[in-house]
């Protein structure tokens, strides 16, 4: 079996706190985004886009999260505020996958949303194939209009996922996976 397929068979999500430097090089980021964009896209609508969050941008976004979190939770202790501030500072690269449905008479919304989900999965698989750890997260920040506005999302756009990518500092244990005999039937 080839090495990439073997890695994909063992793919698992790595908690963001276990992802560190080094992150993907600029060339590897371009490769990852190229792989991510090679998903089914009925009608060539490109119902998704990318926002790269790396370097100091991770901390700027963390400040925005901390401010929004404090506004909603005025009694929150400093540890909780600090956790929100550091939410995007753990992995060296976070790719926000933005989903945007393009009105179309023949291509339903759900197909376009699934295409954005496929982009997220291709990012995870691409990171795994390159030897990085990754995790697909959303959380409250993916649904908070203040955060979405700060990231430059239009009113008709949503976050499909924040894909955190970096070098795995700890190897997570595997979780129980479904037995193929329980989920496969033949017609």
């Amino acid at each position: 079996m080839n090495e990439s397929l073997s890695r994909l068979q063992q793919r698992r999500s790595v908690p963001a706190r276990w992802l560190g430097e080094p992150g993907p090089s600029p060339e590897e980021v371009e490769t990852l985004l190229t792989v991510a964009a090679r998903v089914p896209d009925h009608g060539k609508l490109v119902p998704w886009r990318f926002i790269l969050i790396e370097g100091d941008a991770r901390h700027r976004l963390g400040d925005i999260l901390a401010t929004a979190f404090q506004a909603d939770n005025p009694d929150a202790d400093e540890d909780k505020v600090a956790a929100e501030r550091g939410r995007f500072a753990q992995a060296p690269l976070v790719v926000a996958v933005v989903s945007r449905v393009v009105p179309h008479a023949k291509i339903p919304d759900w197909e376009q949303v699934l295409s954005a989900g496929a982009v997220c999965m291709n990012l995870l698989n691409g990171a795994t194939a390159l030897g990085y750890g990754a995790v697909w997260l959303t959380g409250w920040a993916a649904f908070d209009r203040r955060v979405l506005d700060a990231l430059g999302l239009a009113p008709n756009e949503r976050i499909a996922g924040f894909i955190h990518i970096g070098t795995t500092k700890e190897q997570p244990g595997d979780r129980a996976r479904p037995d193929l005999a329980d989920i496969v039937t033949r017609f």
Side-chain angles (χ1 to χ4, degrees):
M1 178 180 304
N2 91 21
E3 184 180 346
S4 291
L5 254 173
S6 179
R7 283 185 180 177
L8 290 177
Q9 279 190 314
Q10 301 302 313
R11 193 209 70 77
R12 61 183 60 107
S13 293
V14 178
R17 69 183 178 279
W18 293 0
L19 297 172
E21 298 288 350
S25 69
E27 295 79 17
E28 289 173 319
V29 171
E30 186 172 333
T31 296
L32 286 170
L33 297 177
T34 300
V35 166
R38 292 193 62 91
V39 296
D41 176 13
H42 190 190
K44 301 177 194 164
L45 299 177
V46 191
W48 31 260
R49 64 184 180 92
F50 306 106
I51 301 172
L52 302 182
I53 306 164
E54 53 193 341
D56 290 339
R58 300 171 306 147
H59 302 289
R60 287 195 314 273
L61 183 55
D63 289 339
I64 292 164
L65 262 64
T67 299
F69 182 78
Q70 276 184 306
D72 291 347
N73 302 280
D75 297 330
D77 63 45
E78 189 49 43
D79 287 344
K80 288 183 180 175
V81 174
E84 295 304 329
R85 184 171 280 112
R87 182 178 293 273
F88 289 96
Q90 297 164 328
L93 172 65
V94 179
V95 180
V97 177
V98 178
S99 173
R100 57 178 178 216
V101 171
V102 179
H104 196 283
K106 294 183 179 180
I107 303 165
D109 295 1
W110 63 270
E111 276 191 28
Q112 298 179 53
V113 172
L114 288 172
S115 184
V119 165
C120 293
M121 196 66 226
N122 270 11
L123 277 172
L124 291 177
N125 286 336
T128 298
L130 288 175
Y132 292 101
V135 63
W136 174 356
L137 300 172
T138 51
W140 70 270
F143 308 99
D144 188 280
R145 193 70 243 172
R146 295 163 295 189
V147 176
L148 301 180
D149 288 343
L151 287 169
L153 271 70
N156 68 323
E157 294 181 315
R158 309 186 276 191
I159 296 292
F162 291 110
I163 312 303
H164 300 246
I165 303 169
T167 297
T168 303
K169 296 185 287 188
E170 293 184 46
Q171 192 62 37
D174 204 1
R175 64 176 174 80
R177 303 292 173 166
D179 185 331
L180 292 180
D182 294 335
I183 61 170
V184 176
T185 57
R186 286 191 164 69
F187 178 74

